[in-house]
Amino acid sequence: MERVQLAEDLSFSRVIHGLWRLNEWNHAPEDTLDLIEYCLELGITTFDHADIYGGFLNEELFGKGLALKPELRNKMELVTKCGIVFPSPRRPQYKSHHYNTSKKHIIESVEHSLKNLHTDFIDTLLIHRPDPFMDPAQVAEAFTELKQEGKVRYFGVSNFKQHQFNMLQSYLDFDLITNQIEVSAYELENFDDGTINLCQEKGIAPMAWSPLAGGRIFSSEDEKAKRLRAALTKVAEELHADGIDQVLYAWLLVHPANIMPIVGSGKKDRIKKATEAVHLNLSLDQWFEILHASMGHEVP
Amino acid sequence: MERVQLAEDLSFSRVIHGLWRLNEWNHAPEDTLDLIEYCLELGITTFDHADIYGGFLNEELFGKGLALKPELRNKMELVTKCGIVFPSPRRPQYKSHHYNTSKKHIIESVEHSLKNLHTDFIDTLLIHRPDPFMDPAQVAEAFTELKQEGKVRYFGVSNFKQHQFNMLQSYLDFDLITNQIEVSAYELENFDDGTINLCQEKGIAPMAWSPLAGGRIFSSEDEKAKRLRAALTKVAEELHADGIDQVLYAWLLVHPANIMPIVGSGKKDRIKKATEAVHLNLSLDQWFEILHASMGHEVP
Amino acid sequence: MERVQLAEDLSFSRVIHGLWRLNEWNHAPEDTLDLIEYCLELGITTFDHADIYGGFLNEELFGKGLALKPELRNKMELVTKCGIVFPSPRRPQYKSHHYNTSKKHIIESVEHSLKNLHTDFIDTLLIHRPDPFMDPAQVAEAFTELKQEGKVRYFGVSNFKQHQFNMLQSYLDFDLITNQIEVSAYELENFDDGTINLCQEKGIAPMAWSPLAGGRIFSSEDEKAKRLRAALTKVAEELHADGIDQVLYAWLLVHPANIMPIVGSGKKDRIKKATEAVHLNLSLDQWFEILHASMGHEVP
C-alpha cells in the first residue's frame, strides 16, 4: 500500500486503522492480535487511538493483543490523543467533562498511553480537540519534554481550525505533522473553511475521521444523504466498485491533499474493501458529481 | 486615466473593460475593433476575459476584432481566466460542469486563449474560482512553465478567500498580482470576510466584477436595493453625478484598496460614464451613508 | 496587583478602570480625583478612555480631576482611542456618524485627547473599530509621526478580527501591543473566531470590555443568561466569592491569554470586588461548567 511521508523518518500507511470501537467487538487479546496482523498484511501499519476511546479502555485492549507478539511494534506506527477528560470508573480523578491541555495532564496522559499500549514510545501524539483554555506555552513545554525523553516522536492536532493550528505551531520549535479532521463527501466543512487548504499550505497530510460519515450516508433519509447515495451508487456502477463505501474512501484518496482515511471497522472484509479503494480512479467528472450531490447544487 | 501599478513592468487602467457579454452584442469584427479603439481613447487599456465567456466564444470574437489592427495589441493588457469547464459545442471534450486546475488543463486553456485572442502572450492569467480539488503544486508548475515560455506574464486569482489565496501563493516563486472579486455597494461580503483586507496586506489591487451588482440596485424591489437607490440618488444629486451608476463606480474608486472596477457594457456612453466616475470625490460622510444603506444599519 | 508586561517599558495593571460612563456619575473634579486615587491605591494604574466617550466629554472630565494633582500622571497609564465620529455639540465639524482613520483625523484626535486629559503623552492609542475604509498606510504614517513626536508611546486596536489586525500590523515597523475586545462568559465570539488565539499567537494581552456582559447576565431572562446565572451562582458559593460578578471577572482572569478586564463602574465597592477576583482560583471543572452553561451544551 502507498505510504505518506510525514517526516524524514516517519511515514503512515495511506489507509489507517482506527480503534475507536475496539471495546465493542468483544475481542480476546488473541482476536486483537489477529486483527493487527491482518491489517499489517494489507499494508495498514498505522493505528489510531485516543486515551478516551472505549471509556479509557481501548488502548489497554490493543496493548494486550500487541503484548502477545511484541516484535510487531516496530512494524507499525501508533497514534494516540489526549486533552479530553470525563468521569469514568477508570479515571476516578476526573470529576467532569472538559478539556485539559496543561503540561501536567498531557504528560500524565502519555504515561498512561505508553503503559496501556505496551510500548516505549508513541509515534505521533495529537491534541484531541482545540481547547478554549489552551495555554500554548504549556503544550509546547509538554511536547518538548516528551520528545526529548523519546516518549513521543512527533506531534499533531485533531479538529483544529486554522487559527488554532497557527497559534499552537507558533509556540513550537518543530512542525506539527498532521491534523486529524472529520471529512467525507457528506461533511464538507473542512473543505470550505480553509482547514484542508492550510494543510496543503503547510505541506502536511490530514487524517480523516468518519470517512463514511458515521454511516449516515447509508441509512439516513435526509435529502443530502439521499442525493449522495444516488450519486455514489451511479459512480460505483461506473467504476465496478465493491459498494458505495469504496467510492467514499476513493473520493478522499484521489484528493491531492493526501488525505489518510481512518477505517474504524473490526470486520476484515470491510477493512480490505477500504484498502482496495486506493485503486479506484475517480475522474474529475465523478469527483464533482459527488461533491455537487452533497452540496445540493453545482459549483458556481 | 489613472493607472494602477501591479508589477514593475505591468500596470492596468483604473477602469477595466470586461467582455463577459460580448457574444450578446451581435458585433461584427469591425464593431469589436471600434469598441476596443473607443476604450483605448478613454484610457481603458485593460480588457478582462475568461475562456468560458460566451460559452467559450468571446475570446475568439475579441480576437477577430483585434486581428483587424494587430498593432493595438501592445497598447493594451489582456487578462483571461481558466479553471472552469462545462459541456459546450465548442469544447466537446468537457462532459460535465466542474473545475479543472490541473497542469494539463491550465496549459491547454492558455493555448486556446492565445489562439482565440490573436496574441502571443497573456498579460495576466487568473484561476477563475477556488477549486476544492486544487493541487497547488500542479498550478505552480503550470504557471512557472507558462511564464518561462513567455506565454503568460503575470498570474492572479479570482473569487479566492484568504486561505485559498495564501495556499496557492505559498507554492509560487513569484507574487500573485490580483484577486478579481465580486464587490459593490450592494455586495459587501469581501469587505467583511477579510478578502479585501488581505489584498491591502499583500499590497495587491483587486479587480471588481459586478461593480453595479448586476443591475439589481436599479430594479430590484428588495429592501436593501430600495435603501441603496435612495442613498445613491441623494449622493448623485449632491455631487451632480450623471446617474447612480457613476456613484456606484465612484464608491469603489475612492476606496484606498485601489479597487479596479470592470465595466461590462458594450454601450459607449455607459463606458464613458464609468471612466468619468474617477473624478467624483465622495466624502467620507457620503461613502458611509451608502455603506449604511446597504447594511441596513450604521456601523457600531 | 499583578501587572501585565506589554512592552519592555510598559505594563498595565491586570484590572483596568474604564471611563466610558464617567459623564453619568455627576462627578466634580474632586470626585474624579478621589476615584483616581482610590484606583491607584488598589493597584489599578491603567485607565481606559476614548475620544467619543460621554459625547466627547469624558476625557475632559478625567483631565480636570487629574489636573488637581498632576504628579499622579506618572503613576498611571492612559489608554485612549480614536477613529469614530458622530454629530455632537462638542465636535460641530462632524456631520454624520462614520469612521475616520485618515492620518489627519488620527493626529487631530490625539491632539484633542492630550489637551483634554491634561497630559503630554498617551501611553497607548487604539483604533476604536476596524474601518472598512481604512488606508493602513495612512494609519501607519500617523502612528509613526505620533511616536516620533513622543505624543503616543504605543499603539493597539479595538474590536479587530484576525485579518484586520494582520493587515494593519503588516504596515507598521513596530508591534501593536493589544486588542481591546468584547469578551465575557456571556459573549464568546472572540474565543470562537480566532481573535483571542491570534493574541496568544502574537504574544499580546487583550483588554476585555463588557466583562460582565453589560449587566445582561444579572437581569436578562433569556435562556443563556438564566443558565449562566445558575452556573455562576453555584461556583460563587463553592469559592465563597462575593457575588457572581467576581466569578465573571475571575473566569477571564484565570484564562492563559492574560486577559485584562475593564471595570467600568464608578462605585468603589464594585471596583474593589473586581480587583479581589484575581485571587479566585477557578478550577478547570468550574471554568468549563460556566463555558458549558453559556454555550448551552458541553464541548464535544
Side-chain angles (χ1 to χ4, degrees):
Chain A
M1 174 178 301
E2 184 194 344
R3 298 187 66 78
V4 178
Q5 205 71 27
L6 297 173
E8 210 178 285
D9 58 352
L10 180 74
S11 64
F12 284 0
S13 53
R14 189 65 197 276
V15 174
I16 291 169
H17 192 265
L19 283 305
W20 180 37
R21 294 191 158 164
L22 173 53
N23 62 313
E24 299 174 15
W25 303 335
N26 297 312
H27 276 189
E30 291 73 17
D31 302 319
T32 302
L33 176 62
D34 184 55
L35 187 70
I36 292 172
E37 292 194 296
Y38 184 74
C39 285
L40 293 176
E41 277 165 36
L42 291 174
I44 299 180
T45 63
T46 308
F47 295 90
D48 181 64
H49 294 269
D51 57 342
I52 59 169
Y53 287 170
F56 300 94
L57 177 62
N58 289 4
E59 287 184 325
E60 188 180 330
L61 293 178
F62 185 91
K64 285 183 177 165
L66 178 57
L68 297 176
K69 212 167 177 179
E71 64 270 28
L72 295 183
R73 175 63 187 95
N74 290 321
K75 299 186 175 170
M76 63 175 63
E77 299 79 41
L78 292 179
V79 179
T80 193
K81 315 183 191 79
C82 65
I84 305 177
V85 303
F86 52 77
S88 160
R90 301 181 169 275
R91 294 284 191 283
Q93 67 270 42
Y94 303 156
K95 291 184 198 107
S96 69
H97 173 209
H98 59 80
Y99 297 155
N100 189 341
T101 52
S102 66
K103 179 179 178 184
K104 182 166 174 289
H105 177 76
I106 292 171
I107 288 173
E108 282 177 5
S109 183
V110 167
E111 297 291 351
H112 277 298
S113 293
L114 290 172
K115 185 172 160 239
N116 289 335
L117 289 167
H118 274 269
T119 184
D120 295 328
F121 64 98
I122 306 293
D123 290 281
T124 303
L125 177 73
L126 313 180
I127 299 293
H128 206 147
R129 291 269 177 187
D131 175 6
F133 199 83
M134 182 181 290
D135 180 351
Q138 282 205 34
V139 178
E141 276 185 43
F143 281 9
T144 301
E145 193 168 307
L146 289 165
K147 193 178 181 71
Q148 284 169 348
E149 293 176 350
K151 289 176 179 167
V152 179
R153 296 178 64 208
Y154 290 97
F155 300 88
V157 292
S158 187
N159 304 300
F160 272 44
K161 298 300 175 190
Q162 297 175 78
H163 50 90
Q164 297 150 344
F165 188 99
N166 287 331
M167 176 188 71
L168 180 54
Q169 181 61 72
S170 74
Y171 280 77
L172 297 171
D173 295 328
F174 37 84
D175 287 342
L176 295 167
I177 62 157
T178 192
N179 189 2
Q180 183 176 126
I181 54 180
E182 182 179 16
V183 57
S184 67
Y186 190 91
E187 281 293 339
L188 301 174
E189 183 184 292
N190 286 307
F191 277 106
D192 295 334
D193 67 11
T195 306
I196 289 173
N197 283 151
L198 184 70
C199 289
Q200 293 181 279
E201 184 183 329
K202 300 285 184 189
I204 69 173
M207 302 168 73
W209 62 270
S210 273
L212 307 180
R216 282 194 300 282
I217 296 170
F218 304 98
S219 56
S220 176
E221 285 304 310
D222 69 273
E223 289 307 310
K224 182 159 84 165
K226 285 198 278 186
R227 287 193 312 262
L228 259 175
R229 269 203 299 280
L232 291 163
T233 302
K234 175 172 171 289
V235 171
E237 283 168 12
E238 290 167 2
L239 293 172
H240 308 292
D242 189 3
I244 65 173
D245 49 343
Q246 263 198 344
V247 181
L248 282 163
Y249 287 120
W251 192 82
L252 293 175
L253 288 163
V254 297
H255 189 277
N258 269 328
I259 298 167
M260 300 176 286
I262 301 171
V263 182
S265 176
K267 296 189 178 157
K268 290 183 178 178
D269 60 328
R270 291 201 184 169
I271 299 171
K272 189 148 186 281
K273 273 172 71 176
T275 62
E276 289 167 352
V278 300
H279 305 300
L280 284 186
N281 282 313
L282 268 72
S283 68
L284 266 186
D285 296 273
Q286 291 165 328
W287 197 87
F288 276 90
E289 186 170 1
I290 292 166
L291 180 76
H292 294 165
S294 182
M295 298 196 301
H297 57 83
E298 299 197 354
V299 292
Chain B
M1 173 178 302
E2 185 194 343
R3 298 187 65 78
V4 178
Q5 205 70 28
L6 298 172
E8 209 178 286
D9 57 353
L10 181 73
S11 64
F12 284 0
S13 53
R14 189 64 197 277
V15 173
I16 291 169
H17 191 266
L19 284 306
W20 179 36
R21 293 189 159 165
L22 174 53
N23 62 314
E24 298 174 15
W25 303 334
N26 296 312
H27 275 189
E30 291 73 16
D31 302 319
T32 302
L33 176 61
D34 183 55
L35 187 70
I36 292 172
E37 292 193 296
Y38 184 74
C39 285
L40 293 175
E41 278 164 35
L42 291 174
I44 299 179
T45 62
T46 308
F47 295 90
D48 181 64
H49 294 270
D51 57 341
I52 60 169
Y53 287 170
F56 300 95
L57 177 61
N58 290 4
E59 288 185 323
E60 189 179 329
L61 293 177
F62 185 91
K64 285 183 175 164
L66 178 57
L68 297 177
K69 212 166 177 179
E71 65 270 29
L72 295 183
R73 175 63 186 94
N74 290 320
K75 300 185 175 171
M76 64 174 62
E77 299 78 43
L78 293 178
V79 179
T80 194
K81 315 184 191 77
C82 66
I84 304 178
V85 303
F86 52 78
S88 160
R90 300 179 172 276
R91 294 285 192 283
Q93 66 271 42
Y94 303 155
K95 291 185 197 108
S96 69
H97 173 210
H98 58 81
Y99 297 155
N100 189 341
T101 52
S102 66
K103 179 180 177 183
K104 182 165 175 289
H105 177 76
I106 292 171
I107 289 174
E108 283 176 4
S109 183
V110 167
E111 297 291 352
H112 277 297
S113 294
L114 290 173
K115 185 169 160 240
N116 290 334
L117 289 166
H118 275 269
T119 184
D120 294 329
F121 64 98
I122 305 294
D123 290 281
T124 304
L125 177 73
L126 312 180
I127 299 294
H128 206 146
R129 291 269 177 188
D131 175 5
F133 199 83
M134 182 180 289
D135 181 350
Q138 282 205 35
V139 178
E141 276 186 42
F143 281 10
T144 302
E145 194 167 307
L146 289 165
K147 194 178 181 72
Q148 284 169 347
E149 291 176 351
K151 289 176 179 167
V152 179
R153 297 177 64 208
Y154 290 97
F155 300 87
V157 292
S158 186
N159 304 301
F160 272 45
K161 297 299 176 191
Q162 297 175 78
H163 51 89
Q164 295 150 345
F165 187 99
N166 287 332
M167 175 187 72
L168 180 54
Q169 182 61 72
S170 74
Y171 279 77
L172 298 172
D173 295 329
F174 38 83
D175 288 342
L176 295 167
I177 63 157
T178 192
N179 189 3
Q180 183 176 127
I181 53 180
E182 183 180 14
V183 58
S184 67
Y186 189 92
E187 282 292 339
L188 302 173
E189 183 184 292
N190 286 305
F191 277 106
D192 295 334
D193 68 10
T195 305
I196 289 174
N197 283 151
L198 184 69
C199 290
Q200 294 181 280
E201 183 182 331
K202 299 284 183 189
I204 68 174
M207 303 167 73
W209 63 269
S210 273
L212 307 180
R216 282 194 300 282
I217 296 170
F218 304 98
S219 55
S220 176
E221 285 303 311
D222 69 272
E223 290 307 310
K224 182 159 84 166
K226 286 197 278 186
R227 288 193 311 262
L228 259 176
R229 269 203 299 281
L232 290 163
T233 301
K234 175 172 171 289
V235 172
E237 283 168 12
E238 289 167 1
L239 294 172
H240 309 292
D242 189 3
I244 65 172
D245 49 343
Q246 262 198 344
V247 181
L248 282 163
Y249 286 121
W251 192 84
L252 293 175
L253 288 163
V254 298
H255 189 277
N258 270 327
I259 297 167
M260 299 175 288
I262 300 170
V263 182
S265 175
K267 296 187 178 158
K268 290 183 178 179
D269 59 329
R270 292 202 183 168
I271 299 172
K272 189 149 186 282
K273 272 172 71 175
T275 62
E276 289 166 352
V278 300
H279 305 299
L280 285 186
N281 281 315
L282 269 71
S283 67
L284 265 187
D285 296 272
Q286 291 166 329
W287 197 87
F288 276 90
E289 186 171 358
I290 292 166
L291 180 76
H292 294 165
S294 182
M295 298 196 301
H297 58 84
E298 300 197 353
V299 293
Chain C
M1 174 180 300
E2 184 194 343
R3 298 187 64 79
V4 178
Q5 204 71 28
L6 298 172
E8 209 177 286
D9 57 354
L10 180 74
S11 64
F12 284 0
S13 53
R14 188 65 197 277
V15 173
I16 291 170
H17 191 266
L19 283 306
W20 181 37
R21 295 190 157 164
L22 174 53
N23 62 314
E24 300 174 14
W25 303 335
N26 296 312
H27 276 190
E30 291 73 17
D31 303 320
T32 302
L33 175 62
D34 184 56
L35 187 70
I36 291 172
E37 292 193 297
Y38 184 74
C39 286
L40 292 176
E41 278 164 36
L42 290 174
I44 299 180
T45 63
T46 308
F47 295 90
D48 181 64
H49 294 270
D51 57 342
I52 59 168
Y53 287 169
F56 300 95
L57 176 62
N58 290 2
E59 288 184 324
E60 189 179 329
L61 293 178
F62 185 92
K64 285 183 175 164
L66 178 57
L68 298 177
K69 213 169 178 177
E71 64 270 28
L72 294 183
R73 175 64 187 93
N74 290 320
K75 299 186 175 171
M76 64 174 63
E77 299 79 44
L78 293 178
V79 179
T80 194
K81 315 185 191 78
C82 66
I84 305 178
V85 302
F86 53 76
S88 160
R90 301 181 169 275
R91 293 285 191 282
Q93 67 270 41
Y94 302 155
K95 291 185 198 106
S96 69
H97 174 210
H98 57 80
Y99 297 155
N100 189 341
T101 53
S102 65
K103 179 180 177 183
K104 182 166 175 289
H105 177 76
I106 291 171
I107 289 174
E108 283 176 4
S109 183
V110 167
E111 297 292 352
H112 277 298
S113 294
L114 290 172
K115 186 172 159 236
N116 290 334
L117 289 166
H118 274 268
T119 183
D120 295 328
F121 65 97
I122 306 293
D123 290 281
T124 303
L125 177 73
L126 312 181
I127 299 293
H128 205 147
R129 291 271 177 187
D131 175 5
F133 199 82
M134 182 181 289
D135 180 351
Q138 282 204 35
V139 179
E141 276 185 43
F143 281 10
T144 301
E145 194 168 307
L146 290 165
K147 194 178 179 73
Q148 285 169 348
E149 293 176 350
K151 290 176 179 166
V152 179
R153 298 177 65 207
Y154 290 97
F155 300 88
V157 292
S158 186
N159 305 299
F160 272 44
K161 297 300 176 189
Q162 297 175 79
H163 50 89
Q164 296 150 346
F165 188 99
N166 287 332
M167 177 188 71
L168 180 55
Q169 182 61 72
S170 73
Y171 279 76
L172 298 171
D173 294 328
F174 38 83
D175 288 342
L176 295 167
I177 63 157
T178 192
N179 189 3
Q180 182 176 127
I181 53 180
E182 183 180 14
V183 57
S184 67
Y186 189 91
E187 281 294 338
L188 302 173
E189 183 185 292
N190 287 306
F191 276 107
D192 294 335
D193 67 10
T195 305
I196 289 173
N197 283 151
L198 184 69
C199 289
Q200 294 180 280
E201 184 182 329
K202 300 284 183 189
I204 68 173
M207 302 167 75
W209 62 269
S210 272
L212 306 181
R216 282 195 299 282
I217 296 170
F218 303 98
S219 56
S220 176
E221 285 303 311
D222 69 273
E223 289 307 310
K224 183 159 83 166
K226 286 198 278 185
R227 287 192 313 262
L228 259 175
R229 270 203 299 281
L232 291 162
T233 302
K234 175 173 172 288
V235 172
E237 284 168 12
E238 289 168 1
L239 294 172
H240 309 291
D242 189 3
I244 65 172
D245 50 343
Q246 262 199 343
V247 180
L248 282 163
Y249 287 120
W251 192 83
L252 293 175
L253 288 162
V254 298
H255 190 276
N258 269 326
I259 298 167
M260 300 176 288
I262 301 171
V263 182
S265 176
K267 297 188 177 157
K268 290 183 178 179
D269 60 328
R270 291 203 184 168
I271 299 172
K272 188 149 188 280
K273 272 172 70 175
T275 62
E276 290 167 351
V278 301
H279 305 300
L280 283 186
N281 282 313
L282 269 72
S283 68
L284 265 186
D285 297 272
Q286 291 166 328
W287 197 87
F288 276 90
E289 187 171 359
I290 292 166
L291 179 76
H292 295 165
S294 181
M295 298 196 301
H297 58 83
E298 300 197 352
V299 293

